[in-house]
Amino acid sequence: MDCPVCKNAMITLELEDVEIDYCTDCGGIWLDAGELELLLGNPQQAEKLIRSFQIDSDYTEKPKKCPICLKKMQKIIVGQSTPTLLIDRCRKGDGLWFDKGELQDIFNRAQLDEDSKIQKLLADMFGEKQNTNTQ
Ligand SMILES: [Zn+2]
Ligand SMILES: [Zn+2]
């Protein structure tokens, strides 16, 4: 599968027994349909999160193309929090695209347990853990 942003082949990573596609160039992540729910682990939390998705018909960013069906994806606003978090979703439901850091951002906003395994995994894998320490 090719990255919808830089068109390079993505690699497959295994995260909590879920196979995700990861672009080593831009740090983006593709999740097939249903994988976000699997990663969240908690069906209620997943449902709440997914119910918060709203289609953003007013975005200015150039649409990315779904790596599976190659059709333009739509922008989805996640939750109500600010700054607005936008992700890309295949209109046919193939899956979701997260630019670098967005997947972690979602887990942060979903208010998972502080020592959520998935957060740690992502931080280890991508070294993106928000560090608020001053230097
Ligand atoms: Zn990429
Ligand atoms: Zn698609």
Side-chain angles (χ1 to χ4, degrees):
M1 224 190 289
D2 293 339
C3 171
V5 178
C6 37
K7 319 286 185 237
N8 294 318
M10 292 190 280
I11 60 165
T12 306
L13 295 176
E14 207 169 291
L15 203 60
E16 292 285 277
D17 294 329
V18 180
E19 281 195 353
I20 65 170
D21 295 283
Y22 173 63
C23 176
T24 52
D25 290 306
C26 67
I29 293 172
W30 170 261
L31 295 182
D32 288 325
E35 289 183 339
L36 180 64
E37 291 88 324
L38 288 175
L39 285 176
L40 279 164
N42 177 333
Q44 277 168 343
Q45 232 161 15
E47 205 199 314
K48 199 170 144 215
L49 181 68
I50 286 158
R51 261 195 281 129
S52 80
F53 288 2
Q54 294 170 62
I55 297 165
D56 182 10
S57 47
D58 197 29
Y59 61 91
T60 49
E61 242 179 83
K62 208 170 124 221
K64 299 179 182 81
K65 287 187 183 146
C66 170
I68 294 178
C69 67
L70 305 178
K71 297 257 177 2
K72 282 177 189 166
M73 293 191 279
Q74 59 192 179
K75 285 280 170 190
I76 298 292
I77 303 170
V78 180
Q80 315 276 325
S81 42
T82 47
T84 307
L85 177 60
L86 285 173
I87 61 169
D88 300 270
R89 182 173 70 178
C90 169
R91 289 166 202 268
K92 290 168 57 185
D94 291 327
L96 300 164
W97 173 257
F98 303 87
D99 288 322
K100 185 177 181 162
E102 287 178 348
L103 187 59
Q104 269 175 290
D105 210 349
I106 284 190
F107 288 132
N108 284 331
R109 294 178 194 217
Q111 291 165 337
L112 301 182
D113 304 338
E114 216 168 276
D115 55 4
S116 153
K117 244 198 295 181
I118 197 74
Q119 285 288 53
K120 285 209 181 102
L121 277 171
L122 285 170
D124 288 351
M125 218 173 241
F126 307 119
E128 281 288 304
K129 197 157 174 66
Q130 298 299 320
N131 194 339
T132 50
N133 291 340
T134 47
Q135 289 176 352

